[in-house]
Amino acid sequence: MHLYLDQLLTEQSFDLILTYSSPIIKNEKILDMLSFNLHLGLSRFYRGGISNVLALSLNEFNKAGSTCHELTAKIDDGKALFEIRDLKFENFKNIDQMNYYIIKRSVGKLIEKLNKEDFNTYTIPKGSLVLNRSLTAKTIIEAEKNIKNKFES
């Protein structure tokens, strides 16, 4: 339950809701609004909060990026507004640099879509659901090692 959101929505309405790294939202008022979630990961491959870390730990660089999708009551399940793909990993020394780049590029793409009032979405395949509790120190270390190796090659 999101008491703050429920309270906020009883007092105001919004033209657009954007979430990032948010728990599951089941509030029907929000879900009925124009609402999107910015997911750090390509939902077509992995859904959940550790998508990019998992992809990098498995050397699946083509499966890292971001997806801006419609907000639904299921994890990273809505139709896509856009995806950020084909990252140039030789530019990133670590995951933080990659995430900064992805967020910056995603926000730029979202602003572009907002300015054009382009909210056309498309269906993408639903990737595997990866739960946050499956994140281990080994996964993070492996992801950091792989991105460093890619940077140095």
Side-chain angles (χ1 to χ4, degrees):
M1 187 137 99
H2 300 278
L3 296 176
Y4 177 75
L5 285 176
D6 290 339
Q7 177 66 30
L8 187 64
L9 289 170
T10 59
E11 299 167 4
Q12 300 179 38
S13 65
F14 301 91
D15 295 327
L16 173 71
I17 300 283
L18 178 66
T19 63
Y20 166 77
S21 193
S22 170
I24 297 171
I25 294 176
K26 295 187 178 187
N27 181 304
E28 289 298 323
K29 188 170 180 183
I30 293 173
L31 297 176
D32 288 342
M33 291 180 184
L34 182 61
S35 57
F36 295 98
N37 178 57
L38 180 56
H39 168 62
L40 278 187
L42 293 172
S43 299
R44 65 179 56 241
F45 301 113
Y46 298 113
R47 297 176 297 128
I50 64 167
S51 299
N52 280 340
V53 174
L54 179 64
L56 294 175
S57 74
L58 299 172
N59 263 324
E60 297 176 336
F61 292 95
N62 64 317
K63 295 182 180 180
S66 70
T67 308
C68 186
H69 60 82
E70 293 175 325
L71 194 58
T72 68
K74 295 181 180 176
I75 298 173
D76 301 325
D77 193 57
K79 289 182 177 179
L81 181 63
F82 65 84
E83 297 171 285
I84 302 294
R85 303 173 70 170
D86 302 320
L87 305 176
K88 307 245 183 289
F89 284 92
E90 58 274 9
N91 296 332
F92 312 127
K93 292 181 182 176
N94 55 48
I95 293 173
D96 287 339
Q97 282 187 349
M98 179 197 70
N99 284 338
Y100 173 77
Y101 173 81
I102 291 171
I103 291 169
K104 182 178 176 181
R105 207 165 138 205
S106 297
V107 169
K109 184 70 172 180
L110 181 61
I111 290 169
E112 177 186 312
K113 293 271 195 183
L114 291 171
N115 285 335
K116 292 179 180 177
E117 295 185 19
D118 175 7
F119 303 112
N120 296 317
T121 58
Y122 54 95
T123 302
I124 58 174
K126 298 301 175 217
S128 303
L129 178 59
V130 183
L131 300 177
N132 290 351
R133 67 176 174 249
S134 64
L135 181 65
T136 64
K138 181 181 177 188
T139 307
I140 296 169
I141 291 167
E142 198 65 25
E144 286 288 1
K145 180 186 83 171
N146 291 343
I147 202 168
K148 182 180 178 198
N149 289 342
K150 192 82 162 170
F151 174 77
E152 292 175 351
S153 64

